[in-house]
Amino acid sequence: MRSELNYPQLGTDIIQQMIGNGVRDLMKKSFANVNINPTDDELNQAIKLHSDYYNEHQVVYTTAYPGVKETLEFLQQHNIRTAVVTNKRGETAQKILEILQLAEHLDCIIGDRAGLKLKPAPDGLLAAAQELGAEP
């Protein structure tokens, strides 16, 4: 994405430290890391480039931790409801969890969507609790 905007590349180790608060925050941090203050148009272009690439390569580096599928199967067999709350877009999270064969074991998947603040705000967790009919 950065090379398409004629900015220098960042190493994987640096990028990994920036992940966790959604794609907009990731893009802002990636520019700030090299003292670039992008215009709103550049930021939006970067987000689109990132999203287009990510949509085609969602599970290249994404894997489930060992034992996750078995744990979800166990919980499902014992009628314990489960949810995933992520800062990824909801459709993206759904697709990744389907590819990893985890979605079928989940009762609720909450991703970035209108009206919900991203983690660490509690909005996603509260939405999941409501969808599951659980008390927060």
Side-chain angles (χ1 to χ4, degrees), residues 84-94 97 108-119 123-124 127-128 131:
V84 165
V85 177
T86 178
N87 285 343
K88 294 183 186 307
R89 288 187 4 243
E91 314 84 53
T92 301
Q94 179 74 38
L97 291 164
C108 174
I109 300 169
I110 302 290
D112 181 15
R113 63 182 182 203
L116 289 182
K117 293 180 185 172
L118 296 176
K119 297 184 297 180
D123 299 40
E131 195 168 313

Side-chain angles (χ1 to χ4, degrees), residues 19 22 24-25 28 32 36 42 45-46 51 58 65 92 96 106 117 122 134 136:
I19 294 172
R24 180 167 290 278
D25 187 66
K28 286 180 181 179
I36 296 171
E42 287 174 319
Q45 183 182 6
S51 295
Q58 293 174 353
Y65 288 110
T92 301
I96 290 170
L106 296 164
K117 293 180 185 172

Side-chain angles (χ1 to χ4, degrees), residues 65-92:
Y65 288 110
V68 168
K69 185 175 181 181
E70 295 78 11
T71 300
L72 289 173
E73 289 170 347
F74 175 86
L75 294 171
Q76 189 177 42
Q77 290 167 359
H78 290 84
N79 298 316
I80 299 171
R81 301 192 72 199
T82 57
V84 165
V85 177
T86 178
N87 285 343
K88 294 183 186 307
R89 288 187 4 243
E91 314 84 53
T92 301

Side-chain angles (χ1 to χ4, degrees), residues 7 27-28 31-32 36-43:
Y7 292 128
M27 294 298 106
K28 286 180 181 179
F31 285 118
I36 296 171
N37 187 16
T39 65
D40 286 342
D41 286 343
E42 287 174 319
L43 184 60

